[in-house]
Amino acid sequence: MDATFEHVYIPLTTVSSGEGQEVNIDIYCYCIQFVNICLLGNQTSKTKEWFLIDAGLPHSADNIIRLAEDHFGSMTKPQGIILTHGHFDHVGAMGELLEHWDVPVYAHEWEIPYLTGKADYPKGDPTVNGGLISELSPLFPNHGINLENHVQALPADGSIPGLPEWQWIHTPGHTPGHISLFRGRDRSLLAGDAFVTVKQESLYKVILQTKEISGPPKYFTTDWQAAEASVRKLQALQPVLAVTGHGKPMREEELTNQLSYLAENFARVAVPKEGRFVH
């Protein structure tokens, strides 16, 4: 299995790195340098069944394993790993995690080529107007990884094996097979990078984790029409809690107001004026 980023080091971190937050009794959000993962499961339950949502940056596997053991005990492993998409900062630790746990991985069928070594993502686009991270983005890894038979497509009906209360929602734009997760009972949303709560292109705002709803990271987004439709789809769900791939969790009135503003003004505030995928 070729799923490692052995020679990839990203020397970027934030004030939130290493911080975790229990945003719900069964949703724990944890920041690895500048990207979030989630542990989905109630640590007080007798079964200790849980899922990992996304797999962080390269060389973060030991950190993720320790975090999981602190929450669920050293004898447990996740029921599976659910990937919102396959960019390097969301799958960076997959190789080491699968060697340790050997569990199924779930993703949208359109993301599978990037997770089985059959396709690479476009390189980061430095021409989008945004900030220093955009300018540095061509240096970020863009290659696909090969998870071989560990990865399987999510069921077409929107269900998630082992998570009957949750549904996956196709939210393309940032990548073709990007998904978000939603639970209707309490309107909890795990949005991935369909939208984020920090201006991810700005080095200054990323380091300080300045909280504001923003569109998907510009330098890696390839279909802006689809990205806008995805934001509108998620806004229509009226989430009460949103955990995104980058930035701090957001709730209630702050979330409602800012997400509505983004959906209504997406072309003006999210879409870059220039860029390879704008026109």
Side-chain angles (χ1 to χ4, degrees):
M1 180 176 63
D2 182 13
T4 64
F5 293 84
E6 181 180 354
H7 302 295
V8 174
Y9 293 91
I10 308 297
L12 171 62
T13 192
T14 70
V15 296
S16 296
S17 182
E19 291 183 359
Q21 182 179 351
E22 189 176 65
V23 295
N24 203 321
I25 192 170
D26 58 354
I27 305 173
Y28 188 84
C29 173
Y30 183 80
C31 180
I32 299 173
Q33 292 179 231
F34 59 88
V35 66
N36 298 322
I37 63 168
C38 283
L39 307 182
L40 203 57
N42 188 339
Q43 65 184 116
T44 64
S45 70
K46 293 181 179 179
T47 62
K48 302 291 186 181
E49 292 182 352
W50 63 283
F51 282 77
L52 176 65
I53 313 302
D54 286 339
L57 283 160
H59 312 291
S60 65
D62 288 345
N63 193 4
I64 294 172
I65 291 167
R66 283 195 301 269
L67 179 71
E69 289 178 349
D70 287 344
H71 268 69
F72 300 106
S74 60
M75 301 304 293
T76 64
K77 63 181 181 180
Q79 300 295 105
I81 300 173
I82 302 169
L83 298 177
T84 61
H85 60 300
H87 281 156
F88 79 100
D89 51 340
H90 294 259
V91 302
M94 283 300 306
E96 296 92 333
L97 291 177
L98 290 177
E99 286 180 6
H100 184 78
W101 284 328
D102 190 21
V103 296
V105 180
Y106 300 99
H108 190 278
E109 62 174 328
W110 290 359
E111 209 73 2
I112 298 294
Y114 306 99
L115 302 171
T116 52
K118 297 178 180 177
D120 294 332
Y121 295 104
K123 279 189 171 293
D125 185 359
T127 66
V128 295
N129 54 310
L132 184 57
I133 295 183
S134 294
E135 295 175 13
L136 295 174
S137 64
L139 302 176
F140 296 159
N142 66 298
H143 61 275
I145 61 174
N146 189 2
L147 302 180
E148 299 176 347
N149 59 355
H150 284 277
V151 65
Q152 55 188 280
L154 285 158
D157 62 2
S159 64
I160 302 173
L163 286 173
E165 289 192 321
W166 290 83
Q167 64 180 118
W168 67 266
I169 300 167
H170 189 203
T171 47
H174 189 56
T175 70
H178 189 286
I179 64 163
S180 304
L181 280 65
F182 184 70
R183 181 166 62 188
R185 171 172 58 81
D186 56 3
R187 304 215 302 278
S188 292
L189 174 67
L190 309 182
D193 286 2
F195 66 87
V196 295
T197 57
V198 65
K199 187 174 175 60
Q200 189 62 25
E201 303 81 17
S202 167
L203 179 62
Y204 177 78
K205 291 186 175 182
V206 167
I207 290 174
L208 295 182
Q209 292 289 277
T210 305
K211 188 160 70 166
E212 59 180 293
I213 283 190
S214 182
K218 293 181 173 70
Y219 47 84
F220 270 163
T221 298
T222 55
D223 186 335
W224 286 101
Q225 185 175 3
E228 179 174 7
S230 293
V231 166
R232 291 181 179 273
K233 185 188 299 185
L234 295 180
Q235 188 270 335
L237 297 174
Q238 298 183 320
V240 172
L241 164 70
V243 179
T244 63
H246 304 275
K248 298 181 178 180
M250 192 173 285
R251 298 176 181 274
E252 298 175 350
E253 185 176 359
E254 180 182 31
L255 171 61
T256 298
N257 292 342
Q258 291 202 32
L259 185 54
S260 294
Y261 182 84
L262 177 64
E264 293 166 6
N265 299 276
F266 190 89
R268 181 170 61 84
V269 301
V271 181
K273 294 181 175 60
E274 302 294 337
R276 293 200 306 264
F277 301 101
V278 175
H279 304 295

